[in-house]
Amino acid sequence: MEISPREAEVLELVGARLSNAEIAARLVISVRTVESHVSSLLRKLEVPDRRALAQHAPEPSGAGPSQPAPVLPAPLTSFIGRARERAQLTETIKAHRQVTAIGPGGVGKTRLALAVAAEMADEFPDGVWFVDLAPVTDPNMIASAVADAVGLGEQPGRDMTESVVAALTDRHALLVLDNCEQVRDGVALLLERLLANCPRLTVLATSRARLMVPFERVYPVPPLSLAVDGESDAVALFRERAAAVGWPLDPPLFDQIAAICERLDGMALAIELAAARYPTLGLDGITAALSHPLRMLTGGSRADDRHRSVRAALDWSYALLEPADRALLRQLAVFAAPFTARAAAKIAGAEEGVAADGLARLAEQSLLVVTASPGGTTYRALETIRQYGIERLTEADELVEVRSRHLHWCLAQASALAVADPAAVRQDWRARFDLVADDLRAALAWAAQEPEQRTDACRLAQHLAELTFTRNLIGESQQRYEQAAALADDPAATASMLRHAAAVAGCRMRGDDMYRLQRATADAARRAGDTADAARDLATIATNAYRFLGKFARRLPPQETAALITQARELADQDPAAQAAVALAEAGRALDDAVAAAQGQPDSCVPETIARAERAVELTHRTGDPLAESAALDVLTGALSWAGDTFAAAVTARRRITLLSSAPNTPAATHELIEALGEAAEASLGTGDLPGARRWARQLADHPLLAEVGHRAMSWLLVADALAGNVDQVLTGSVRFLDAWRRAGSPAASALGPAAAAVAMIHNLRDDHDAQREWRTVLDQLGTPPDHTYGYGAVFDAMLLLHHGQAPQALERMAPEPSEVWKWVTWIWLHWYVALRAEATVLAGSPDARGRLADARTITSGNPVASAIVERAEALLDRDRQRLLATTAAFDAAGCRYQSARTLVLAGGEHAAAGQAALADLGLAPQAVR
């Protein structure tokens, strides 16, 4: 079958060892779309997995493996000369893993680094990435800037630095970090982590000063050559830039050009500024303009002189501007990122047309860089010019005024970007946010330090917290909520921001952060005099300690949670919401105590435990707070499942999903929804509702917050597809699961065991034993608690053994009676366990088959798949082929194609061939014929 152009792009990037998320970022498509393309490629190329798929990736022309194109910004002007410097820097990079190109502003560090990185791309098969740190003012945001350049999203459960290190651990790549000086200490910390953990990564940094990290090799970037004999690089640059604006220069003028370049110390930026003035001043005019300021450059080191020569060039270039254009250049310096003419007009307080004319004049003088795109024209000042503009603003005593206008512009931009529902975000929202994000951060960094701007700073921090959450930058979102809380003057507002921060921490799988922030929230509520809210916050801490145990690095001691509930009860007084929160915390503690005391065996405490949870649901429902009620339904679902009431637990889980569909869009609602989708998928599997399980699991897999944690996102969908026999979907989904799990550091998370076991079973059914062994290794690394032995492990093992005609072994694998299996662990597997055990009993010829079938029929009643398996087993025992064949309709209706095909094989005769063909269509090996 023919591979489409888009599939070819995906295939090439698979061969370059990019993850689905990285491919999505590179091609500007969704992760779901990448998965679909990978699935299509697996089918078209008839290969079993991603490893085999990568071998089909095309090679570039010539020898060598396929590799991604370097992710470098496209220069707007040609690169001139520097042959010796390019060669020296190239050799230095080859010999050392961390090289810092240092020099004063305007010497040409960035252009040299870009040129060398582009030339060396073939040396780094896993990629070349460029990160401009000029807009970054917060050291905490450096890793995020690197992640954005690499195409890496945030992984809940680890901070961005950990994610970046994990993504680059085995990459033979070059990372270019530009403009490191203003966040030098933060860069140093990140580089130490990267160099220690990524042995094949090379870093090229540019900075005005050394980074002072171990293994750093410094390369001082010299000015452009000023050779007396022959043409120098400096002269060539002046000539090229003058010719670019329509004023070519003849050889007789070269000596005069060389003199100008020598006055400018060969500084690239100064030469470009001078060349831009040639059409209006001529060489004589430039020489005269430069003579006076350069006479003041005496004393100091030569490097300082060079820096002053750029300052002098900026000074006279600035002096030659009209007053209005000088003011505009100063004002534009507050922009941290590229900006539009409309934005410039807002900051300058001018009409857009007037601002556009001024921008054009500044661009003509090389004081601004212009970039035209289908989305519009943007402008930016080089970092050296921007810093010069800030100095001029300060000298003119305009800095506060212009910064304030910029702050108000940022507030307006943030308000315009606010959305009520992230699902309704337009496709261009991300690009619109990214265009102004650095300015929002820069405005906030300034305003947060100005006492008179505190109120606006708090508003902007809250806006940025909300926007970054929508953008799935949840680590920054938590940081901004905490910043807003610190800036708020009202303790009640502080408490509100901290509650949001705690919810974001929950989304990030950071239970200890959630605990810290909820403690701070309760303290703030008390300072505000709101004891009812403080009671709710304290009770929520206790409830979350039970509900989200897996998110905590340190489990709260029982005595601490008990003390929290006691404090909450004392503060609750007669407030209904606070009383409901206390009741919920008590129900959670009762469930936790009951499970621990009974060791999985329900006893007389069951009714009381369920009653407590039902009471919490009732009280939270009365408050009208869907999130509080969702939390109570979660505890009730746990109580029902522990008691073995599979169907009631599933109903409660679905009720929770319905409730959350009308919840307000907040971090807390998102946190609840993600947890609820997983629980609903799990509960549906327990009742044999495979379409429902797939529906909820698909929503979970598609949730944007889980884009970078595919092992968590895909877990239940893999289980549902494996049980249904959707082999193609399992193969595709398992790629995302495995890539994400490995990039997350291969965590030993036993909750992921069912997914790994399901994928291993599918590979065994396909007779792909190499892949099965790989997934069994993954399963071993995840770790299976002993209590799970007769849960999913027994179910998937039994399915394999029955497929291979080994009924006695399957019966032995499920030897314990259902009543001996701990229901708290195996509740969603109970019906599957019972049904498969009954089938194994019949196929193994056990004398007590009839009795076991009767018991199984009672237990599985209402479960369409398990009931059909039991019905089929009884038909086999009775040798009733018609009744046996009738179960195919039940399996098909339940979305279980695998069991439908097996039924035909078990029917034997002419039906067996059709069954084997159906299994082959699914991509599975033939079933052993009994």
Side-chain angles (χ1 to χ4, degrees), residues 320-603:
L320 291 172
L321 294 173
E322 294 295 326
D325 290 346
R326 290 183 209 162
L328 182 60
L329 182 64
R330 292 195 302 268
Q331 292 159 347
L332 298 177
V334 298
F335 283 109
F339 53 88
T340 64
R342 177 175 296 181
K346 290 290 185 182
I347 301 305
E351 294 182 2
E352 187 173 342
V354 174
D357 287 342
L359 292 171
R361 289 190 294 272
L362 293 175
E364 288 171 0
Q365 305 307 320
S366 294
L367 293 168
L368 292 180
V369 177
V370 185
T371 304
S373 70
T377 301
T378 60
Y379 305 82
R380 69 177 176 89
L382 297 177
E383 183 63 15
T384 299
I385 295 174
R386 197 177 76 83
Q387 292 177 6
Y388 177 84
I390 293 293
E391 291 177 10
R392 284 295 190 173
L393 269 181
T394 304
E395 291 171 3
D397 198 24
E398 299 171 342
L399 183 62
V400 172
E401 178 187 351
V402 177
R403 285 281 194 195
S404 297
R405 286 206 295 268
H406 180 249
L407 172 62
H408 294 147
W409 176 81
C410 287
L411 283 167
Q413 296 300 305
S415 296
L417 284 165
V419 288
D421 180 7
V425 170
R426 298 205 321 262
Q427 286 187 344
D428 67 340
W429 186 91
R430 173 172 172 168
R432 289 166 51 220
F433 170 79
D434 289 350
L435 183 65
V436 300
D438 285 330
D439 276 298
L440 301 185
R441 293 167 181 137
L444 177 56
W446 173 77
Q449 302 302 316
E450 301 292 321
E452 64 275 12
Q453 303 291 346
R454 188 180 183 92
T455 299
D456 283 340
C458 181
R459 287 175 54 210
L460 184 54
Q462 181 177 351
H463 277 310
L464 195 51
E466 294 164 350
L467 294 172
T468 50
F469 188 82
T470 300
R471 180 63 172 77
N472 299 319
L473 301 174
I474 54 177
E476 183 178 358
S477 178
Q478 179 184 326
Q479 175 191 344
R480 299 305 177 187
Y481 274 124
E482 292 191 53
Q483 187 175 16
L487 290 166
D489 293 323
D490 178 11
T494 296
S496 176
M497 292 300 99
L498 289 172
R499 285 190 192 97
H500 288 310
V504 178
C507 293
R508 298 180 65 212
M509 302 289 290
R510 300 270 179 173
D512 295 73
D513 264 10
M514 188 165 54
Y515 169 81
R516 170 180 62 82
L517 291 164
Q518 286 168 337
R519 276 285 197 182
T521 302
D523 291 342
R526 279 176 167 172
R527 290 197 304 273
D530 195 336
T531 55
D533 272 359
R536 290 172 58 193
D537 294 324
L538 292 169
T540 298
I541 297 173
T543 300
N544 288 348
Y546 302 124
R547 292 183 62 208
F548 307 123
L549 177 60
K551 298 184 180 183
F552 286 82
R554 176 188 74 93
R555 178 170 184 171
L556 267 63
Q559 59 271 25
E560 183 173 350
T561 53
L564 287 166
I565 294 173
T566 298
Q567 293 176 48
R569 189 185 303 111
E570 292 170 352
L571 293 172
D573 197 20
Q574 299 301 311
D575 183 82
Q579 290 177 334
V582 171
L584 175 56
E586 290 174 335
R589 183 176 63 170
L591 176 60
D592 190 65
D593 290 345
V595 172
Q599 296 183 349
Q601 296 298 329
D603 56 16

Side-chain angles (χ1 to χ4, degrees), residues 229-259:
D229 298 327
E231 184 179 323
S232 69
D233 286 345
V235 170
L237 176 63
F238 190 105
R239 289 179 53 211
E240 198 278 340
R241 297 299 186 257
V245 293
W247 293 81
L249 292 158
D250 297 327
L253 300 174
F254 289 1
D255 287 345
Q256 195 172 357
I257 297 171

Side-chain angles (χ1 to χ4, degrees), residues 26 41 111-112 115 141 169 177 245 248 257 291 311 335 408 477-478 485 506 612 715 745 749 765 795-796 882 904 912:
R26 186 73 59 88
L41 288 166
R111 290 300 302 271
L112 177 62
M141 296 302 298
T169 294
L177 300 179
V245 293
I257 297 171
S291 296
R311 174 58 186 253
F335 283 109
H408 294 147
S477 178
Q478 179 184 326
R612 281 180 176 273
S715 180
L765 292 175
V795 168
F796 290 128
Q882 257 339 89
L904 295 175

